[in-house]
Amino acid sequence: MKFSRKLLLCTVIILALALGFSGFYFVNSVFQTSMERETGQAMEESRILRFAFETAALNAPAKYHVLADRTIEEIARNLENGGSSRRLRISDENRQMIYESSDFGGDGALLAETGQEENTWQVICLEGQYFVQTCMAARALDRILYLETMRDVTEVFRERALGFLVYRRVTVLMLVLGTVIMHGISSWLTRPIRLLTRATRRMAEGEYAYRAKKVSDDELGQLTLDFNRMANALEDNIGMLQKEIQAREDFVAAFAHELKTPLTAIIGYADMLRSHRLDEEKRFLSANYIYTEGKRLEAMSFRLLEIMVTRHGDIKLQEVPAEPLFQYLHDMYVNNRTMRFRFQYEGAMLLAEPNLIKSVLINLIDNACKASEPGGVIEIRGCLRKNKYRFSVRDYGEGIPREEQEKVTQAFYMVDKSRSRSRNGAGLGLALCAEILALHGSRLKIDSEKGKGTCMSFILRGSGPEGEGGRRG
């Protein structure tokens, strides 16, 4: 059952119970008040009749000062004729009936319970009519008599029945109106839930961009906002997963392509060596090509292994001076005659793993060399700013288009594939750099402009100056 229908059903049940109990209490309260009034009037009339009876008995002639039964009957008849709806019954000391109205109809139970000093009453039903029967003792000369009266209260019971009938009709009408009104209220209250359900269903069908509409400022409105925030996070995660899946597919495709090209050449030259007689020069060229492509495959496999180890590894950072890193790079490239290297750095203590940072810098310098023409300038710099040490490697080569700058750290991605392959590149160096820097809590920043060169930099945590720094060409 829908929540709105549950809310409607519960409300109708509560309304029905409230109207039923309140109506029963109200009608009965009015009835009890009316009955108390009628009973009081019946007892008052009975007292008046007793006083009239006792007065008439005192004025009646009596022999030996004893009131005869015949006199009692005559007085009772006169009292009965004095009112249009009086019903009387008079009994003697032994509770034996002396006089009774023709339509009295009351039983003797009340008489049996009444004492000389007690006034009693009861409500009885006779042939569909209701009466208040009263009984009290009356003293006439030397006799104790019992006077009973009957007062018709049928109208009070009719009013109660009419009250219940009217209230039942009013209750039914109120339930119908309440059901209609509560149906509208429940639909209005549960609208945010329906919108959330629709949004959930649409998202389950694949529409991750669909959002629930906020229609209230209460807790359900806040729930809608929280749901939309959750949906945004879910959409972002799904987008990231899709990008990761696409990246893996691109990785597999690029890896297969990178393997296919050298393997095809290796197999072709190996088959040529196996099936043909070649002169010394052709045999050397074939073997040399097989060797060169084999070394490229070996380097690519080592790079992939380094990326996997770095990605799933755990490093221990330590304080190391910056100057030995630049000295190491200077010694490595000082004899390179195809490029001109410029080193400029400040001394400082770094929080890093030195061997991995060396690998990052070497890869950045190698990429700068590949992007530059022979004789080009490569600048390697280091500077300390507010306990942060910035490394940068700049070249003045061909540059990287802006739309491709975010992709160069992906494995096997190459801006100029033909040029990279001609220089034994596989597009893994920058991917390895990105993984190493992530372990250091840093990232690679690329500033490049097509035709004007590229500056690749990253920042490590520094702990103060150390040494004098230097500048070398």
Side-chain angles (χ1 to χ4, degrees):
M1 182 182 292
K2 292 183 178 180
F3 179 74
S4 59
R5 293 181 180 176
K6 290 182 179 179
L7 180 62
L8 175 62
L9 181 61
C10 292
T11 305
V12 171
I13 291 175
I14 293 174
L15 182 62
L17 292 176
L19 289 174
F21 282 113
S22 62
F24 180 80
Y25 174 79
F26 175 76
V27 174
N28 268 327
S29 177
V30 173
F31 172 74
Q32 292 295 334
T33 302
S34 299
M35 283 301 300
E36 289 177 1
R37 184 181 64 252
E38 293 293 332
T39 302
Q41 291 179 357
M43 294 298 293
E44 186 63 25
E45 289 180 358
S46 182
R47 292 189 187 93
I48 293 174
L49 287 176
R50 181 180 63 177
F51 178 76
F53 178 81
E54 290 177 346
T55 302
L58 290 175
N59 295 326
K63 188 177 182 179
Y64 307 112
H65 302 287
V66 176
L67 189 63
D69 291 345
R70 183 177 299 175
T71 304
I72 294 173
E73 291 178 8
E74 184 178 351
I75 296 173
R77 191 175 295 111
N78 292 332
L79 292 176
E80 181 183 359
N81 294 332
S84 59
S85 59
R86 290 179 181 174
R87 299 184 182 186
L88 304 175
R89 182 168 66 184
I90 298 178
S91 303
D92 60 12
E93 298 86 346
N94 299 319
R95 292 178 172 78
Q96 298 296 320
M97 184 186 66
I98 299 175
Y99 177 83
E100 182 182 45
S101 300
S102 59
D103 54 354
F104 186 83
D107 56 17
L110 187 63
L111 177 62
E113 297 175 359
T114 304
Q116 294 183 8
E117 304 298 331
E118 294 177 331
N119 299 329
T120 57
W121 63 271
Q122 68 176 1
V123 179
I124 61 174
C125 179
L126 299 176
E127 299 179 356
Q129 290 184 310
Y130 293 89
F131 298 89
V132 175
Q133 180 182 1
T134 64
C135 183
M136 58 182 62
R139 290 175 174 77
L141 298 180
D142 292 335
R143 300 191 65 175
I144 301 294
L145 304 175
Y146 293 94
L147 174 64
E148 295 178 78
T149 63
M150 298 280 285
R151 179 180 176 83
D152 190 355
V153 292
T154 304
E155 189 63 26
V156 177
F157 283 87
R158 288 177 181 172
E159 289 177 356
R160 183 179 70 166
L162 180 61
F164 279 125
L165 177 61
V166 171
Y167 202 83
R168 280 195 297 269
R169 292 176 179 176
V170 172
T171 300
V172 172
L173 179 61
M174 292 295 293
L175 287 177
V176 172
L177 293 176
T179 301
V180 174
I181 295 173
M182 280 307 303
H183 177 71
I185 294 176
S186 63
S187 299
W188 174 68
L189 289 176
T190 57
R191 186 186 176 196
I193 299 177
R194 293 198 304 274
L195 294 177
L196 285 174
T197 302
R198 184 186 305 167
T200 305
R201 189 181 302 113
R202 296 280 288 273
M203 292 185 66
E205 293 172 354
E207 297 184 37
Y208 301 114
Y210 188 84
R211 295 294 180 269
K213 181 181 179 182
K214 181 185 175 184
V215 294
S216 63
D217 295 324
D218 54 8
E219 291 83 357
L220 291 177
Q222 184 62 42
L223 177 62
T224 302
L225 294 178
D226 295 339
F227 176 84
N228 288 337
R229 280 195 288 266
M230 180 193 69
N232 291 334
L234 179 62
E235 185 181 13
D236 293 341
N237 291 335
I238 291 175
M240 293 176 60
L241 289 175
Q242 290 175 344
K243 289 181 179 179
E244 185 176 349
I245 292 173
Q246 184 64 40
R248 289 183 180 181
E249 292 178 352
D250 295 341
F251 175 85
V252 172
F255 182 69
H257 182 75
E258 291 296 325
L259 285 179
K260 179 182 178 182
T261 302
L263 286 177
T264 301
I266 291 172
I267 293 171
Y269 280 103
D271 183 63
M272 184 183 297
L273 289 173
R274 184 189 66 174
S275 57
H276 296 82
R277 285 189 175 185
L278 304 175
D279 56 29
E280 189 67 25
E281 182 180 358
K282 290 183 179 180
R283 187 167 60 252
F284 175 78
L285 291 175
S286 299
N288 183 66
Y289 194 87
I290 292 174
Y291 175 79
T292 302
E293 292 299 309
K295 293 296 288 183
R296 191 159 77 88
L297 287 177
E298 181 186 36
M300 184 172 64
S301 65
F302 284 155
R303 285 286 177 84
L304 284 173
L305 182 61
E306 288 177 359
I307 291 175
M308 298 303 296
V309 171
T310 303
R311 183 175 296 175
H312 297 91
D314 188 16
I315 63 173
K316 184 177 181 180
L317 302 180
Q318 55 184 333
E319 287 191 351
V320 295
E323 186 173 0
L325 297 177
F326 287 96
Q327 183 65 46
Y328 173 81
L329 297 175
H330 180 269
D331 295 341
M332 176 177 289
Y333 292 99
V334 68
N335 295 321
N336 191 312
R337 301 303 178 184
T338 60
M339 297 290 175
R340 290 181 295 166
F341 294 92
R342 296 176 182 174
F343 292 85
Q344 184 178 355
Y345 58 90
E346 298 177 4
M349 297 299 294
L350 311 175
L351 195 61
E353 206 293 317
N355 292 324
L356 293 179
I357 295 302
K358 288 179 183 178
S359 179
V360 171
L361 292 171
I362 290 172
N363 276 290
L364 294 181
I365 295 173
D366 287 344
N367 275 280
C369 292
K370 293 174 183 177
S372 303
E373 297 296 334
V377 176
I378 307 296
E379 298 177 352
I380 301 98
R381 297 182 179 181
C383 60
L384 181 65
R385 295 291 184 272
K386 296 182 180 179
N387 292 329
K388 293 181 184 285
Y389 200 89
R390 182 177 183 268
F391 290 89
S392 64
V393 177
R394 182 176 182 80
D395 65 75
Y396 296 90
E398 58 188 8
I400 304 173
R402 185 176 300 274
E403 64 273 9
E404 297 188 8
Q405 291 179 12
E406 295 182 358
K407 304 177 183 178
V408 294
T409 56
Q410 298 177 6
F412 294 111
Y413 187 85
M414 293 175 283
V415 178
D416 189 345
K417 295 180 173 57
S418 60
R419 184 181 179 120
S420 298
R421 289 199 183 95
S422 67
R423 300 188 180 185
N424 292 327
L428 294 173
L430 293 181
L432 177 60
C433 292
E435 295 292 342
I436 293 174
L437 292 177
L439 292 176
H440 286 78
S442 182
R443 64 184 183 87
L444 189 64
K445 182 180 179 182
I446 302 174
D447 294 318
S448 182
E449 188 174 348
K450 186 68 175 177
K452 294 184 179 181
T454 302
C455 179
M456 295 193 178
S457 61
F458 61 92
I459 295 175
L460 297 179
R461 283 176 288 175
S463 58
E466 177 71 20
E468 298 298 327
R471 180 187 182 94
R472 298 185 181 183

